[in-house]
Amino acid sequence: LASTAHVVAGDYDLAIGLARESLRENQLHTPSLRTLAVACGLAGDRDGARQAVSRLRALQPLQASRH
């Protein structure tokens, strides 16, 4: 939740750090993966965004394919 708030505030680097911290605690937390993908994309880290989306698609293939 905190990482999402930082995306909205435009603090992408902090959002990325918080999302990654959350994922270290729970690798399957898809909201953190979504936030990581968005924050990386907005920060210009296309590779990081692609990796997050790839992980998300592996965990939720039907939902990720709809977007």
Side-chain angles (χ1 to χ4, degrees):
L1 185 59
S3 59
T4 302
H6 286 285
V7 168
V8 172
D11 193 350
Y12 308 129
D13 290 334
L14 184 53
I16 290 167
L18 290 170
R20 287 182 175 152
E21 184 178 325
S22 173
L23 290 165
R24 279 192 293 276
E25 295 292 323
N26 180 359
Q27 296 177 21
L28 304 177
H29 193 247
T30 56
S32 292
L33 279 171
R34 284 192 292 274
T35 300
L36 180 60
V38 170
C40 284
L42 291 171
D45 178 5
R46 290 183 178 210
D47 289 334
R50 282 187 192 106
Q51 288 174 4
V53 169
S54 178
R55 289 172 58 195
L56 185 58
R57 291 179 84 178
L59 292 173
Q60 294 184 321
L62 294 178
Q63 288 185 3
S65 66
R66 293 182 195 157
H67 299 287

